[in-house]
Amino acid sequence: MATPAWRELSPVAQSLYPWLKLEWGGPSANNNGKIRLSVRQAADCMGCSINTAAKAFRDLQGKGFIHVQEPARLGVGGEAKSPCYEITELAMPGQVSGRKQYLQWSSGNDFPVVKANHPGPCRKREKTEPRLKADDSAVIHFDMHPRRTSQK
């Protein structure tokens, strides 16, 4: 909390960090690097909107507190998978200490951010042929109010 990176975090990102640490299994079951918490789950936990939670994830990544090990994806069966996060403060399995990237952070030099809702570049859509307009030629129109002709 005494680092410049922590002081630059938004209050929402500061409140998200403990929720991510709760997903860590502890030193005996060290699952660091495989921590999954979706943006929707985080929004529910913190009582905020999904967009606010997504900004908090980006802020934590930019300041070096978390790192995306595996981006979000849509599984083969159509089930989405949230990203796998590494908390850089904690040691990864088989390591003695964490990378603590937040110690190397400086103002204006954020770390690269992987967006949770769109991990890859946009694909341009191919242009399609214009649709034909509806053709009413087979419809018979009845004049419900025929004009009266006046006979003089």
Side-chain angles (χ1 to χ4, degrees):
M1 288 185 188
T3 64
W6 183 264
R7 287 192 298 269
E8 284 292 318
L9 283 175
S10 67
V12 180
Q14 289 178 351
S15 67
L16 172 60
Y17 192 69
W19 287 105
L20 282 165
K21 285 191 80 171
L22 283 173
E23 297 295 316
W24 179 52
S28 60
N30 193 352
N31 64 332
N32 196 18
K34 296 180 182 176
I35 295 171
R36 291 192 190 270
L37 183 67
S38 73
V39 173
R40 285 193 170 107
Q41 289 170 327
D44 286 343
C45 291
M46 295 186 300
C48 65
S49 73
I50 293 170
N51 289 338
T52 303
K55 286 178 189 176
F57 274 105
R58 290 192 296 269
D59 201 12
L60 285 171
Q61 284 181 66
K63 304 297 186 285
F65 287 95
I66 62 174
H67 179 76
V68 175
Q69 292 292 331
E70 181 184 318
R73 68 182 194 283
L74 191 60
V76 177
E79 292 185 19
K81 291 198 176 200
S82 59
C84 284
Y85 294 105
E86 168 198 353
I87 299 175
T88 63
E89 173 188 10
L90 306 171
M92 292 283 283
Q95 294 181 350
V96 178
S97 66
R99 297 189 293 160
K100 300 181 182 175
Q101 289 181 317
Y102 53 89
L103 295 175
Q104 286 87 41
W105 178 85
S106 63
S107 183
N109 294 316
D110 281 2
F111 290 97
V113 173
V114 176
K115 293 183 181 179
N117 59 351
H118 185 52
C122 269
R123 293 186 315 180
K124 291 185 178 181
R125 291 185 179 174
E126 295 179 18
K127 290 190 174 185
T128 58
E129 293 293 322
R131 284 185 8 182
L132 297 175
K133 293 184 179 181
D135 184 14
D136 291 340
S137 60
V139 177
I140 300 171
H141 295 280
F142 292 100
D143 191 2
M144 299 299 286
H145 303 287
R147 294 184 193 180
R148 294 185 182 176
T149 55
S150 60
Q151 296 177 356
K152 291 187 181 179

